Every structure is written in C-alpha cells, then in structure tokens.
Amino acid sequence: MDHDGHDEDEPADPIADMTHIRDMVEHFGFPLEEHLVYSDGYCLGIHRIPHGPFPPPVGTPESAGAPPAYGTAKGSMSSSADDVVVLPPTPISVHGRPVVLLWHGFMMCSEVWVCSRTNSLAFMLAEDGYDVWLGNNRGNKYAFKHLSKNPNDAEFWDFSLDQYTQDLSNVVDYILAQTGQPSLIYVGFSQGTAQLFAALSSNPALNQKIRLACCLAPTGKPHDLKHSLVASLVKSSPSLLYLLFGRKSAIPSVFFWQRVFARHMFIRVMDASMAFLFSWTNSEMSRSAKLSHYYHLYSPASVKSVVHWFQIIRGSFSMYDDAPGLLAPHALTHVPASYPLRNIKTPIALFYGGRDTLSDLGFLLSQLPTPAFVLKVQEYEHLDCLWASSAHSRLFPAVVGVMRALGARHPDGTRAEVPRDFVADEVVAEALARGTAQLGALEMATRAEDETVLETVAKLRGVRKRVTAAPRGGATRGATRVVMMNGGAGKKLAARGHGRHVVAAARAETEVSESGSD
C-alpha cells in the first residue's frame, strides 16, 4: 500500500500505456481518421471521429464500444451497468453531419479529449450526431515536424500564442474544405480558448467560419501564479527565462519522469506540482481517472510560448513583445499590440469552475462582447472542465444544449443541421438550467427555428403581469430551462422543443409579478 492507503499494484487502465490516439479511440470502439494540415511549414496532425462507435456484430456481448448512459427514459445520467442504453445497429452516414472542432490547452495534445469512454465530450458529441475533429498546435506530440526545420534546433521552437492562432485558422480552413460545410462549431479548453479569442479578434473572416464558440475554463489574462518563487519568475526578464530554460521545448523531462516513477508516485508528484503552482486539489477527479489521464496530460510546447504567457500575466492580452523593457512590460519606444477582443462577432458561451485559480473571468467579461451563455460549476477547478467525474452530467450536456440552441444557423443565414441522436433532452435541460443566458441568446435560438413559434421574444419583453404560463406539472420531455437576466429581474423561461419545433413560453415568478418589472 502507498502512503495514501492505495494498493501500489492496483490494475491500471490500459489507456495509461497507450501512446497513440488511434489506439485510444479504437479501444473504445470509435473510428478515427488522421489528417495533415500545413501551417507555416509545420505539419499539424489532426484527428477526426466522423461518427459514433461501430455497431457491434449481432450476438456480440457488450464491450468497450458499447454506448454509455447519456440519457435514460427519465432523462437521468448514470454510469452504472444497469442503466447503459445499447442502441440497435443503424446505418452510419457522415454526409451532412454538423462539424465541431475541439482544441486542447497549454502543453497538451488531442489525446486529452479521449481518455475516458463515459466521460468524454468528444465521444458524447460523436454519438449525438456530430462530425468531431480534434486539433493540435505546432510542436506538440502530433505536430513535431517541419518541412525544413529540425526539432533539435532552436529555430524550430521560435513560436508563441501568435503562431498558434495561425494554426487554428489553417485547421478551420482545411476542415471546411474537407467537409464542404460553410461553418463549424468550436470547443476549446484553456489556452484553446485564448488562441480562439486571438484568432477571431485579428482575423474578421474567421468569424464567418465559426458560428459558435464554447469555451471550457476560458483563459485570456491568467491570474498571477500562487507561489512567490514562481510569481517572481513571471516578472523576470525574458532573457533570464531563456537563460534558465533554453529556447527549445519546455520541460521535456516530464516524459522521463512519468516512466521512471511508479504509477502511484507519478500521480502524487503531478498533484503536488499543480498544488504548488495553482493551489489545485483535483478532488473532483477520481483516482482511477488520474491513473490513466495524467499520462496524457503533457505534450511539448515552446519555451517562447511560456514567456509569452508570462508577458500576458504581467501586462495585457497582447501579442508577443520581441523587445521588452527591463523595468516595464514594454520599452518606451513601443507598445505591444493588444488583441482587439471587442471585434469578435462569433457568439461565445463560457463554462468555468468556481474554484479555478488560473482563469480570470472578470477580465474576459470586461473585454469580450456579451457572452451568449455562462455556466459556473462552483466545485470545479481548471482541469475539472475536462476530467471531473461529474462532467458527463453537469457540464458536457450543457455544452450540447448550447450547441443545439445557438448552432442551428450558419453565419450566412442558411440552416445548419442540429442533431439530437443520443443525449436526452431532459439531461440537456437539467444542465442548462444551472447557467445564465442573455436575452440575445434566446432571440438567436428563436430566429434559428422557422417552424411554429407560439410566443416571440418581442412579446416576452412586453410581459408585465399577464403572461402565457408554462405547464406547472414539472418539466416535460424536451423542456429546456434557462435563466434570463433583464434589467436586474430574473425570468425563468421554458422552451419546449421536439425536432425543429420550438414553443417559447414564460412562467410568471411571484417576485417578478409583484415588482411589476419587465
């Protein structure tokens, strides 16, 4: 037994020992395609899960590829074997499936999205009817190649967040060309949200190619790191940082230590490191998840990208400063170009944890256009938006719900397919009810449906005391509760939908009726 009372020889998830995403995805019974995208000479390996798991042969017992319980007849979420819903084999077609692109965080790769069968947003979306793509940044495990530069040379690693934005734009163009779709939905985690903000704000054309952005643990200008020693490094001159860490890959020794340490010891070292840097406890993640997921957490990144983040922490969300001053964030002769976040046109939904010490949500809300939807999970820290044990029920269904509500039209006005193949409407409704939507979000969702609309948003705005009340017998199948904030008065609206039909209605709250507020 180790110091924490766990068996040192406990069996490990085979995912921990898999070194390629193909093995991981196919282990869970899903198909995987590998694609190459060229970005400034770098060869970016990106991955595609075109549909849900392969139908098992008739008479085959349930295996790793059997679908998890993303919704039962009562709309509950469960991971117990008794509640697993096995779908009958159906013909699989990729044509016309809406496209979603998932992007990893800092010092990560696409593997972080597929570490679990029952707690993976990528797999949930693939089963719900989406054509799922996974991106990678230059220099990481799947983009460790350049047409003319050698990874052993410092020139190969001369990139930062500014170049990551170009990778994102090139990958989006490639995916749209391959699928023939006019736009896609983007889901980013941590730095994957920051490079999206940078790309959308500096490339207006990209806003017409990404119709919705769902941001998990969104990051623009991170908080100062908790430990005083590390905080002093953040304030150091880039020259000192390059002297200490070199100009190539950042912390390459991680691969060595994860093979040298016993599994339980490696988990303790990782937990201690994150507690030291960010005061994270990772208590929302199960030990079994850590034993497999932590081995896919790190992927190479440049020291220059670390220095860029340090510049952002002590300054603003700006481009890399090539000539910083010794005593100020920038020299007296110039000002680093800030990313104009107010120029973003793509609707943005934010999903974050209440105990996340890294993301500065206040900064984002002050700089970004008004988000279409915001969901806070109080118990979550930064990594929990990826791997919390409850993410499959508390967070991911809300992402699916926002995609259903706000992803129904391309920026050019044409209709986009909105699948609802697997995740039950009640599950989505329960998750969405914990979030806050702006009035504009409901307007967009309403305009996206050209079928029967019994109550328009314009009528809802004029409601004072007489409203069309929704059924009071509890939530019905397909009901979606969202909390609307307007002039300080909260209204609970229910949108009951089946397929492409939406009924918008308002339920009068006692406090709202008594106040007479709109």
Side-chain angles (χ1 to χ4, degrees):
M1 307 292 286
D2 68 10
H3 180 72
D4 296 325
H6 298 287
D7 187 353
E8 293 185 13
D9 296 324
E10 60 184 307
D13 190 323
I15 291 295
D17 294 322
M18 294 182 182
T19 58
H20 198 285
I21 191 173
R22 173 175 291 280
D23 299 328
M24 299 170 67
V25 172
E26 293 183 348
H27 170 74
F28 294 124
F30 287 77
L32 183 78
E33 296 179 7
E34 298 178 66
H35 295 254
L36 276 180
V37 179
Y38 294 97
S39 181
D40 298 334
Y42 290 88
C43 305
L44 312 180
I46 65 173
H47 305 107
R48 181 188 194 185
I49 306 174
H51 53 73
F54 293 112
V58 177
T60 300
E62 296 178 14
S63 63
Y70 289 143
T72 65
K74 296 183 179 179
S76 61
M77 298 292 297
S78 174
S79 58
S80 63
D82 293 338
D83 292 331
V84 170
V85 179
V86 181
L87 299 181
T90 56
I92 294 176
S93 175
V94 179
H95 179 71
R97 281 179 169 242
V99 177
V100 58
L101 171 60
L102 278 61
W103 211 284
H104 59 80
F106 183 50
M107 289 188 177
M108 295 180 178
C109 70
S110 54
E111 292 176 3
V112 298
W113 298 106
V114 295
C115 292
S116 169
R117 174 63 179 89
T118 59
N119 201 26
S120 163
L121 179 59
F123 292 151
M124 179 182 285
L125 292 174
E127 289 187 287
D128 202 43
Y130 287 90
D131 182 3
V132 180
W133 294 72
L134 311 175
N136 282 297
N137 284 329
R138 64 183 68 187
N140 81 0
K141 180 176 181 177
Y142 296 101
F144 205 73
K145 170 69 178 178
H146 191 277
L147 295 177
S148 60
K149 301 175 183 178
N150 192 314
N152 294 322
D153 299 330
E155 184 183 14
F156 177 92
W157 299 98
D158 186 21
F159 55 81
S160 66
L161 182 65
D162 301 337
Q163 286 71 44
Y164 289 156
T165 64
Q166 187 61 46
D167 292 345
L168 190 155
S169 298
N170 291 335
V171 168
V172 168
D173 288 341
Y174 176 88
I175 293 174
L176 296 182
Q178 289 291 312
T179 60
Q181 296 284 336
S183 71
L184 55 78
I185 297 175
Y186 181 94
V187 179
F189 169 76
S190 190
Q191 181 186 265
T193 69
Q195 65 191 79
L196 172 76
F197 299 149
L200 290 176
S201 63
S202 58
N203 183 1
L206 189 62
N207 290 262
Q208 297 300 310
K209 301 172 184 178
I210 299 177
R211 65 179 180 274
L212 173 66
C214 297
C215 302
L216 312 183
T219 305
K221 185 180 183 299
H223 289 292
D224 287 335
L225 301 183
K226 294 299 181 179
H227 197 278
S228 57
L229 175 61
V230 182
S232 64
L233 283 177
V234 172
K235 299 178 175 64
S236 301
S237 165
S239 300
L240 176 60
L241 294 172
Y242 286 129
L243 182 63
L244 292 174
F245 301 109
R247 290 183 175 270
K248 298 180 182 179
S249 176
I251 327 179
S253 59
V254 172
F255 295 120
F256 171 77
W257 293 115
Q258 74 180 25
R259 294 306 174 193
V260 169
F261 283 128
R263 293 189 190 277
H264 75 279
M265 182 59 67
F266 180 69
I267 301 308
R268 293 182 62 190
V269 169
M270 292 294 290
D271 279 339
S273 299
M274 286 182 271
F276 175 81
L277 291 172
F278 312 115
S279 299
W280 296 344
T281 63
N282 293 328
S283 59
E284 293 295 313
M285 296 172 54
S286 67
R287 175 175 171 81
S288 60
K290 293 179 182 180
L291 283 170
S292 61
H293 298 10
Y294 277 5
Y295 284 88
H296 301 280
L297 178 60
Y298 174 82
S299 195
S302 66
V303 173
K304 185 176 181 179
S305 63
V306 177
V307 173
H308 191 181
W309 274 116
F310 285 2
Q311 290 181 351
I312 291 173
I313 290 174
R314 67 174 186 262
S316 62
F317 190 58
S318 305
M319 302 184 75
Y320 182 83
D321 189 355
D322 293 287
L326 294 177
L327 302 177
H330 56 80
L332 297 177
T333 57
H334 70 284
V335 175
S338 296
Y339 286 106
L341 301 184
R342 287 289 180 184
N343 293 347
I344 295 176
K345 305 299 181 184
T346 297
I348 293 174
L350 305 177
F351 305 82
Y352 71 105
R355 295 167 54 193
D356 188 346
T357 59
L358 189 61
S359 298
D360 188 344
L361 194 74
F363 169 82
L364 289 177
L365 292 177
S366 68
Q367 299 295 317
L368 290 171
T370 303
F373 183 85
V374 178
L375 174 62
K376 173 184 178 181
V377 182
Q378 181 58 43
E379 299 83 2
Y380 280 12
E381 297 172 336
H382 200 71
L383 277 178
D384 293 330
C385 289
L386 270 181
W387 292 338
S389 299
S390 61
H392 73 288
S393 61
R394 300 192 63 183
L395 182 65
F396 298 160
V399 176
V400 173
V402 169
M403 292 168 64
R404 289 178 182 178
L406 303 180
R409 282 198 181 276
H410 297 290
D412 61 6
T414 59
R415 177 177 294 280
E417 186 68 27
V418 180
R420 24 180 25 106
D421 293 346
F422 200 70
V423 185
D425 289 338
E426 295 89 339
V427 176
V428 170
E430 183 180 354
L432 281 177
R434 304 186 183 101
T436 300
Q438 299 297 329
L439 189 58
L442 185 62
E443 289 179 318
M444 293 177 62
T446 304
R447 288 199 304 269
E449 298 291 343
D450 56 13
E451 303 289 348
T452 304
V453 177
L454 299 184
E455 283 288 345
T456 64
V457 175
K459 290 181 180 179
L460 293 175
R461 277 178 163 171
V463 169
R464 288 187 180 274
K465 293 185 178 180
R466 188 174 67 84
V467 299
T468 302
R472 296 185 178 275
T476 57
R477 180 168 182 81
T480 302
R481 291 179 62 245
V482 294
V483 181
M484 306 301 301
M485 304 302 297
N486 183 18
K491 300 189 191 73
K492 292 180 181 178
L493 302 182
R496 181 182 176 186
H498 180 71
R500 293 173 179 162
H501 298 273
V502 167
V503 177
R507 173 175 296 172
E509 296 294 330
T510 302
E511 64 273 18
V512 176
S513 296
E514 291 177 350
S515 68
S517 168
D518 286 346

